[in-house]
Amino acid sequence: MKTVLSLLGLAALSLLSSCTSCPFGCETTPKGKVEHVVLVWLKKAGDAAERAKVINSAKMFQAEIKEIQHLSVGTALPSDRPVVDDSFDVGIVMRFANPADLATYEKHPVHVKAVKEVLQPIAKKLLVYDVAAQ
């Protein structure tokens, strides 16, 4: 069920970003705000110390990377709703003014270092969604 819902979510996002079929008058190159969503599954699922490493690393981003307008980070909120995937360990949501700022963040040394030294050693799986905010 969660796989089907994930595929439906990806299909919906692709429709929103595929502007040839977009009924909302969107453009092919988004110029507005971007929401960058990162979901992290740890190799040691539920490990509090490893969750803290990811959370603390992400919290440093906003102080060090000026392109981030807003950052929220935390653990999955447990849910009994079948539509909610609460299987991830840490979720991060960042807002950028535009796609160029997101691209700058992706190459920023603080981000590159955190991926290499924090995420890669302890993460089993990552899912990233970039949404052109309306």
Side-chain angles (χ1 to χ4, degrees):
M1 179 68 174
K2 288 183 180 182
T3 301
V4 171
L5 293 173
S6 294
L7 291 174
L8 287 173
L10 289 174
L13 283 175
S14 71
L15 281 175
L16 288 174
S17 64
S18 173
C19 293
T20 58
S21 63
C22 182
F24 308 112
C26 54
E27 302 172 22
T28 55
T29 305
K31 293 183 173 78
K33 294 188 184 297
V34 176
E35 299 290 336
H36 179 65
V37 180
V38 180
L39 302 177
V40 181
W41 284 261
L42 298 171
K43 291 176 185 175
K44 297 179 187 175
D47 185 280
E50 290 190 353
R51 281 181 174 173
K53 285 181 191 176
V54 175
I55 291 169
N56 291 334
S57 181
K59 285 180 177 179
M60 287 187 346
F61 288 174
Q62 192 157 30
E64 301 285 332
I65 305 172
K66 68 178 178 62
E67 287 78 12
I68 298 172
Q69 292 185 330
H70 179 78
L71 182 140
S72 295
V73 60
T75 57
L77 180 65
S79 177
D80 293 330
R81 296 171 47 216
V83 70
V84 174
D85 181 354
D86 60 358
S87 65
F88 62 94
D89 286 284
V90 177
I92 307 164
V93 180
M94 289 176 255
R95 181 177 306 121
F96 297 90
N98 52 58
D101 283 356
L102 172 62
T104 299
Y105 154 79
E106 290 171 347
K107 297 175 201 156
H108 195 285
V110 171
H111 174 251
V112 172
K113 182 178 179 181
V115 168
K116 183 177 180 181
E117 295 179 6
V118 178
L119 279 181
Q120 287 179 348
I122 64 175
K124 174 176 73 174
K125 174 183 167 183
L126 293 174
L127 277 180
V128 177
Y129 300 96
D130 292 325
V131 179
Q134 299 285 317

